[in-house]
Amino acid sequence: DIVLTQSPATLSLSPGERATLSCRASQFINTYLAWYQQKPGQPPRLLIYEASNRATGVPARFSGSGSGTDFTLTISSLEPEDFAIYYCQQRSSWWTFGQGTKVDMK
Amino acid sequence: EVQLVESGGGLGQPGRSLRLSCIASGFTFEDYAMHWVRQSPAKGLEWVASIAGNSGSIAYADSVKGRFTISRDNANNSLALQMASLRPDDSALYYCAKAQSLRWNAHFGSWGQGILVTVSS
């Protein structure tokens, strides 16, 4: 199985700051990586697919990059509604998820 | 607007069975692969099973293979997960999810609100 390792586990930031989240795959996955946002009591929401493509309706402050084994989700300027848990997911070999990064308010 | 509504969860006894259903609307159901994903505090998000639009491809996570069966009824826009030989570690919130594109192994573009399954005697 392909293991996805996300870092950091928690990111404490203030509104307006830049958030940088990492996801590392245990083996090569090309650009077959997605990012999801989950808020309490809600299902995950697809933000980024194929490493760098924003899903429909996702604000431009969210961007994804990377290929191979190392990937990054960047939120350029945090809005209050962005404080949530973020998961990465690979689709290179079935589907697996990372353990999540919680972005909370400092 | 895509809508996915799960039902059928609840309390199940170890070794017994439960059946989950998901009713879909807002898209051409038969065109898209569909998935079950579960979430628990212990394991986080875990892919469970997938089925192609024409049911020609089906896949299961090793943790449920041989115990769970995924199926779909395109005439009624419905997805099902028959869960047998339940174990306590099957306890989770189960989500129905739609593929993000027509590709079989696409990411998951839309999710239902989830249905809780608790396995306990």
Side-chain angles (χ1 to χ4, degrees):
Chain A
D1 285 6
I2 297 176
V3 176
L4 299 178
T5 302
Q6 293 187 240
S7 61
T10 304
L11 199 51
S12 296
L13 295 168
S14 300
E17 289 193 294
R18 182 183 188 89
T20 303
L21 289 67
S22 294
C23 178
R24 175 165 288 178
S26 60
Q27 58 187 272
F28 179 84
I29 60 169
N30 201 338
T31 56
Y32 301 146
L33 190 101
W35 291 94
Y36 297 83
Q37 177 193 65
Q38 188 175 32
K39 297 179 181 179
Q42 296 184 20
R45 170 197 177 198
L46 179 66
L47 295 177
I48 301 287
Y49 63 96
E50 312 305 354
S52 60
N53 297 282
R54 273 190 302 276
T56 303
V58 174
R61 63 182 180 272
F62 291 91
S63 63
S65 64
S67 66
T69 60
D70 290 298
F71 300 87
T72 300
L73 174 69
T74 302
I75 311 171
S76 59
S77 178
L78 281 163
E79 297 287 338
E81 62 268 26
D82 299 336
F83 292 92
I85 301 175
Y86 293 84
Y87 296 95
C88 56
Q89 177 210 37
Q90 65 81 25
R91 67 170 189 86
S92 177
S93 175
W94 308 120
W95 299 267
T96 55
F97 295 86
Q99 81 280 17
T101 290
K102 183 178 184 180
V103 178
D104 67 13
M105 205 174 295
K106 189 189 295 181
Chain B
E1 179 195 3
V2 172
Q3 287 200 329
L4 301 169
V5 180
E6 302 94 341
S7 62
L11 179 64
Q13 292 187 320
R16 303 299 292 267
S17 298
L18 271 179
R19 183 179 176 87
L20 304 184
S21 296
C22 171
I23 300 297
S25 61
F27 63 102
T28 305
F29 184 70
E30 65 186 15
D31 285 349
Y32 290 88
M34 296 293 296
H35 311 274
W36 289 100
V37 180
R38 64 188 182 186
Q39 186 172 30
S40 65
K43 298 182 184 178
L45 285 165
E46 181 186 15
W47 165 69
V48 173
S50 300
I51 185 167
N54 62 1
S55 301
S57 294
I58 289 175
Y60 298 97
D62 287 344
S63 57
V64 307
K65 201 174 293 182
R67 300 188 299 121
F68 290 11
T69 303
I70 189 172
S71 61
R72 64 190 296 159
D73 178 352
N74 288 342
N76 291 300
N77 288 0
S78 67
L79 176 73
L81 184 70
Q82 181 69 41
M83 304 187 293
S85 303
L86 285 167
R87 307 190 303 219
D89 65 353
D90 292 322
S91 298
L93 186 62
Y94 282 73
Y95 293 104
C96 163
K98 167 190 169 288
Q100 177 261 332
S101 74
L102 297 178
R103 186 177 290 147
W104 150 251
N105 64 342
H107 296 296
F108 302 163
S110 302
W111 300 59
Q113 287 298 309
I115 192 82
L116 189 62
V117 171
T118 303
V119 181
S120 175
S121 54

